[in-house]
């Protein structure tokens, strides 16, 4: 509680519109960095044709920007987008199956991804009214992973 009170009492630093635009004008963005940002957008949104055209025009490799810049094979973009769409539709089990088909090691190599998908599955169970199944799932699947990895 004390931590929350400290955060609330600290004054916020406010920048007015004129100062904001003055600071913005001082920032210099390299063309390569801007190209990477545009490519990242095309890749994450699943716009394979746009990414291919942009790659040809700008000579920018297809990448995804996260904690690090990762090169992306545009041939896998449709499959990656299908996985994302399945998650957005609440069909987490289908997304997991598709991931296993794309790369059988990915969920083992990326426990944070596996945990996030399991969390989505739990939310889906709760939203669909399967509270008892959700509790069992949380206790048997999520709790052990959360205890094993404090990052979760």
């Amino acid at each position: 509680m004390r931590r929350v009170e400290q955060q609330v009492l600290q004054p916020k630093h406010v920048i007015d519109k004129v100062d904001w635009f003055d600071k913005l004008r001082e920032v210099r963005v390299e063309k390569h960095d801007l190209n990477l940002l545009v490519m990242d957008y095309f890749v994450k949104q699943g716009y394979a044709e746009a990414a291919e055209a942009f790659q040809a025009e700008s000579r920018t490799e297809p990448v995804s920007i996260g904690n690090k810049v990762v090169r992306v094979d545009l041939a896998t973009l449709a499959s990656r987008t299908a996985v994302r769409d399945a998650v957005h539709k609440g069909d987490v089990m289908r997304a997991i199956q598709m991931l296993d088909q794309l790369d059988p090691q990915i969920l083992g190599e990326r426990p944070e991804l596996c945990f996030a998908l399991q969390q989505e599955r739990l939310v889906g169970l709760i939203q669909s009214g399967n509270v008892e199944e959700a509790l069992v799932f949380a206790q048997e699947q999520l709790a052990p992973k959360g205890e094993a990895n404090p990052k979760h």
Side-chain angles (χ1 to χ4, degrees):
M1 181 71 174
R2 179 169 247 164
R3 184 177 181 172
V4 172
E5 290 172 359
Q6 289 175 342
Q7 290 175 344
V8 172
L9 297 177
Q10 293 176 352
K12 293 182 179 180
H13 180 70
V14 178
I15 299 175
D16 66 29
K17 190 175 181 179
V18 173
D19 288 342
W20 172 256
F21 282 108
D22 286 345
K23 290 183 182 298
L24 194 58
R25 278 191 278 285
E26 293 173 7
V27 175
R28 298 290 171 236
V29 179
E30 298 294 325
K31 184 175 182 174
H32 176 72
D33 293 334
L34 193 55
N35 286 346
L36 287 176
L37 187 60
V38 170
M39 182 60 81
D40 175 67
Y41 175 80
F42 289 148
V43 167
K44 286 188 176 157
Q45 296 304 312
Y47 300 136
E49 290 179 20
E52 288 171 359
F54 189 70
Q55 178 183 18
E57 185 177 316
S58 68
R59 302 197 189 284
T60 302
E61 291 295 315
V63 295
S64 179
I65 302 171
N67 293 338
K68 57 184 176 179
V69 177
V70 178
R71 188 176 188 312
V72 174
D73 180 2
L74 291 178
T76 66
L77 204 51
S79 299
R80 294 163 57 121
T81 302
V83 170
R84 183 191 66 206
D85 291 346
V87 172
H88 286 181
K89 290 176 184 172
D91 194 354
V92 176
M93 292 308 296
R94 176 76 181 127
I96 290 171
Q97 290 169 347
M98 288 189 284
L99 279 172
D100 282 339
Q101 289 173 351
L102 288 171
D103 182 355
Q105 289 86 29
I106 194 167
L107 294 175
E109 293 171 351
R110 301 214 21 225
E112 71 283 356
L113 173 61
C114 183
F115 191 77
L117 287 170
Q118 298 293 10
Q119 284 178 312
E120 287 294 324
R121 183 172 173 206
L122 176 65
V123 169
L125 289 170
I126 293 168
Q127 288 175 336
S128 65
N130 296 323
V131 178
E132 288 182 32
E133 187 179 347
L135 287 172
V136 170
F137 178 75
Q139 291 171 340
E140 293 178 359
Q141 300 294 321
L142 286 179
K145 291 179 182 178
E147 290 172 359
N149 190 341
K151 290 181 182 179
H152 301 313

